[in-house]
Amino acid sequence: MEAVEFTTPKTIDEAVQAMASKGDRARALAGGTDLLVQLRGGRRSADLVVDLKDVPELNEISYNASSGLTIGAATPCYRLYADANVAANYPGLVDSASLIGSIQIQGRASLGGNLCNSAPSADAIPPMIALGSVANVVGPNGSRQIPVEDFCTGPGRNVLEPGEILVSINVPAPPANSGASYLRFIPRNEMDIAVAGVGSAVVLDGSGQNFVSARISLASVAPTPVFCKAAGDSLAGKAVSDEAIEEAARLAMEDAKPITDMRGTIRQRIHLVGVLTRRTLNIAIQRARGEE
Amino acid sequence: MASNIVLSEVEYNVVGKRHLRPDGVDKVTGRAQYGADVQLTGLLQGKVLRSPHAHARIKSIDTSAAEAYPGVHAVVTAADLSFASLSREQLGGDYQRVKFASNHVLASEKALFKGHPIAAVAAESQHVAEEAVKLIKVEYEVLPPAMTVRQAMEPNASLLHEDLFTSELGELSDKPSNVASHMAFETGDLEQGVQQADVVLEREFETASVHQGYIEPHNSTAFWNTDGQLNIWCSTQGPFVVRTSVADILRHPVSRVKVTPMEIGGGFGGKITAYLEPIAALLSRKSGRPVKVLMSRTEVFEASGPAPGTWMKVKLGVTNEGKITAADIFLAFEAGAFPGSPVMQGAACALACYDVPNARINGYDVVVNKPKTAAYRAPGSPQAAFAVESVIDEICEQMGMDPVEFRLRNASREGVRRVEGPVFRRIGLVECLEAVRNHDHYKAPLEGPNRGRGVAAGFWFNRGFQSAVNISVNPDGTVNLIEGSVDIGGSRASIAQQAAETLGIAYEDVKPTVVDTDSIGYTMVTGGSRTTFATGWAAIEAAEDVKTQMVERAARIWDTPIEDVQYIDGVLSHKSDPELRMTFRELARQLLGTGGGITGASNVDPSGEGNGFGVHIVDVEVDPDTGKTTILRYTAVQDAGKAIHPSYVEGQMQGGVVQGIGWALNEEYFFNDQGQMMNSSFLDYRMPTALDLPMIDTVIVEVANPGHPYGVRGVGEVPIVPPLAAIGSAISHAVGQRIDRLPANPGAVLEAMS
């Protein structure tokens, strides 16, 4: 590999300036668990690597019962599941933060990096979508907010313009009687890429017997993470039942447009979307009822 | 862990104890020197350019831009190999062998697999070398690949070698073919055996290419001095084999090649072939500087030697009493790009566990556009056992017969003749089967839905071959033991133990060192489960030589005839004069003043290797929604002859099982339709991780090998033989469908269930 320049800005402004100075030849570095592997493997090239780990706003976790959770884009996974507020209020996020890669990877890798790497198989994106999260982006022309389901545009591609960086992700405060869950299927038990993944979030009524709303999102079954609006909406207002869950799973399977590759076949992946939608909805329901 | 079953009758002082390994401290502190650690003055870094195509004619190679790139010191291609300047007449009957060996190192006319070396660069740094290889222009004519034995055996298959003719039971065919050879073993009368059977079952099987998956990638550093001396430092199971290969390919005298084996991070049979050594040597000769070449993990997968994918058919005939009367077996093994799959070993192992009166085994060695296969732990036996043991399991299921009882009724024992000829001496299969039958695991019922239990047996020959050991006595009463066997699985310890036992001194008083090819006699590879047996034997003989010389010296000091001196348990004494007595240590202190030091030496080629057997039990649970298999419990039982170091025997058994689990469940080379491997990383080549495995319980059975002074049998390879079949059968019972192809990954099991 050729030599690359490296810089460690201390503020958002400096970071944006550095990113803008090289346009699409600049790459932002958080944990580096994707970027460094890609650069060394020749799958990406860059003239400038901008290390964002010294920018304070990118390394904070803050929670507030009304505005929800703000996760700095470079915050490593382990800090999420070690945070009492996150553990208590966002078990669906903890599900993915604690299964990405391995313990060692989770010490470096961040949810923000996972989003910006924009892999179809990203484990952190479906629960963020299911929870209605918003990405806070800053660039040379100011800041903008992008719903996470609109962030990725293709494998490894997203809406970030040259010079823009992801500063943080906002996850709304969990409504009463709500729960979320993420599961992925891998042939092994760690260090693997999802053959398929499903994140589900539900809001139940006070009785815990009826759906108020639900959101479902898929990994590894399309060029981008998939937000299954119809599947989630199908549950709204229905009583919690196997039939309702089955119908949502069927609709989620319809949204899956996978390919056959070394990790799985089309048939297997669509089947797994059904299995995992049922399983994640059931876990989310249990969590909403406070049963778990 | 269940208690081991010791059937040998001799008690030893050092042998059979769990001593600390001599190389332990260096390895756990990171100070052990591996091939990638080699640093020499003026060292250059090499990089190999590899074919992006599985099958292509090389029309031209232009290296001029790479040669002109700043920091580049040498570029080599096949034109730099000796073969390029040798005529067919000069090589005579050796022509095709040398051609294949040379073309394997660097492709000349054709690239035969993705990753096939095309050219190599030596440069000031790894980065310069990487940039420079990109500047080499290669013009290819891409050809359709033949990726599996079935494709390659088709009449219209794309031919890898226009000059390869089938060796058809010894006769050369008249038409070129991808089938390099067809061999057969036969015994008894197959038709009659089938007629005697009450149940006849025939099944077909396939297994995928898999890799040994050693942690340390291949590496080689070479320095070709101006006087013609070529020194090589590398990671290898066999420094003498590397020396022979390099001398052969480079047409350089064996005596001018010195190979220093560095510490080795796993081999499993895959680190015998010299892949990088000839390339590093050529780059060094051209640049005048030492050159180091390392493989990345992708290069290891794509261009070292996996175990063959296979296509197999097994037909067995069995009587109602559960006696096998007939076996008809077809084995077609992928050789990879050049001939030489282990189909012969697979054929010889296929029925070795059983006394089969009537049998025919046909084996086909087939070239395909994949890297040339290499040995992998009991090469050929796991695949053959998968096929045969699966059919036995299905027959037992149909007949309602206990699979251990069935195997006991047919088990090979002393005096049984194998299909390929040899007659078994004392072996321990029956004892292993009895140990399984009596084991808690086998007696415990397996309850719950989606669960299944599998049992399978496995065989490996084990090997003898040449080994050398020198033992020098130090003035403090310790000894230095010099050996040529690379230590992969704790053999420094197991060989030192045998020397200490023979000399009657403490284990800690033997200091073993593995040396280069200039410093010890010819020693065959660490492989074939031979090292503790054969190099151990050499250590025993060298120790006996030391004892003889110590007796002579004591006799000289005491001025008494040699016949009057005895050596018992490390003490020299006069047979009739109790005043004359010296410990080994006391005499060692006097050696330098009484005639000089003592060195015992041996070169051996023992033939008494004891065959190895193992029987495994596994319980699995399959998730009916996803097809994913979880191993609930695993027990491996194996005859070790005499376990010199029981912990390392258990480690070998567990390691073999783990690799077998990977082979059975998830590991495979996944190719796209152009024959390019898509999963050449540990991320997507799914070896089991620690979280995928239960504790592997082991039971060592000791039926002493009469062919070794301490009863040793090889232990390293047998444990990878039964897992494929045991797990396949367990999954079959769990899901109610037979598993006839591996890997039985979740997708495949899901398909089988639907």
Side-chain angles (χ1 to χ4, degrees), chain A residues 1-2 185-193 195 260-263 265 267-268 271-272 275 278-279, chain B residues 127 130-131 623 625-626 628 666 670 678 682-684 686-687 689 691-692 746-747 750-751 754:
Chain A
M1 96 187 233
E2 300 258 32
F185 180 77
I186 55 173
R188 294 184 291 190
N189 292 320
E190 67 163 357
M191 294 300 290
D192 222 329
I193 305 284
V195 179
T260 289
D261 67 7
M262 61 199 168
R263 295 180 185 139
T265 63
R267 194 171 131 100
Q268 179 192 13
H271 171 82
L272 287 169
V275 171
R278 288 191 290 271
R279 288 182 180 178
Chain B
H127 299 296
E130 281 174 20
E131 293 306 313
D623 181 334
D625 290 338
T626 65
K628 181 169 169 171
N666 282 307
F670 190 95
M678 302 306 287
F682 277 151
L683 182 61
D684 285 310
R686 287 159 163 153
M687 291 170 67
T689 72
L691 291 185
D692 303 312
L750 204 57
E751 286 294 328
S754 67

Side-chain angles (χ1 to χ4, degrees), chain A residues 198 200 202 211 214-216 218 228-236 238 241-255 273-274 277-278 281:
Chain A
V198 178
S200 294
V202 302
F211 291 105
R215 287 168 67 93
I216 295 167
L218 316 179
C228 305
K229 188 163 188 323
D233 288 351
S234 77
L235 293 168
K238 279 191 193 161
S241 68
D242 288 347
E243 293 71 32
I245 290 169
E246 195 56 52
E247 173 64 5
R250 191 187 65 75
L251 289 168
M253 288 165 78
E254 277 186 7
D255 279 351
V273 164
T277 302
R278 288 191 290 271
L281 280 171

Side-chain angles (χ1 to χ4, degrees), chain B residues 129-201:
Chain B
E130 281 174 20
E131 293 306 313
V133 291
K134 292 182 196 162
L135 301 174
I136 298 173
K137 293 186 196 71
V138 187
E139 205 184 337
Y140 295 101
E141 177 195 345
V142 179
L143 303 168
M147 296 305 295
T148 63
V149 282
R150 288 196 197 217
Q151 283 174 14
M153 290 171 90
E154 301 227 332
N156 308 325
S158 189
L159 279 181
L160 275 78
H161 305 280
E162 284 83 3
D163 55 353
L164 180 64
F165 297 85
T166 308
S167 167
E168 176 67 40
L169 304 174
E171 304 275 313
L172 272 195
S173 65
D174 48 8
K175 232 177 69 181
S177 165
N178 289 326
V179 179
S181 68
H182 167 211
M183 42 72 59
F185 297 132
E186 269 192 77
T187 190
D189 181 335
L190 183 64
E191 293 314 313
Q192 196 185 321
V194 171
Q195 278 167 19
Q196 288 164 357
D198 298 304
V199 176
V200 177
L201 189 70

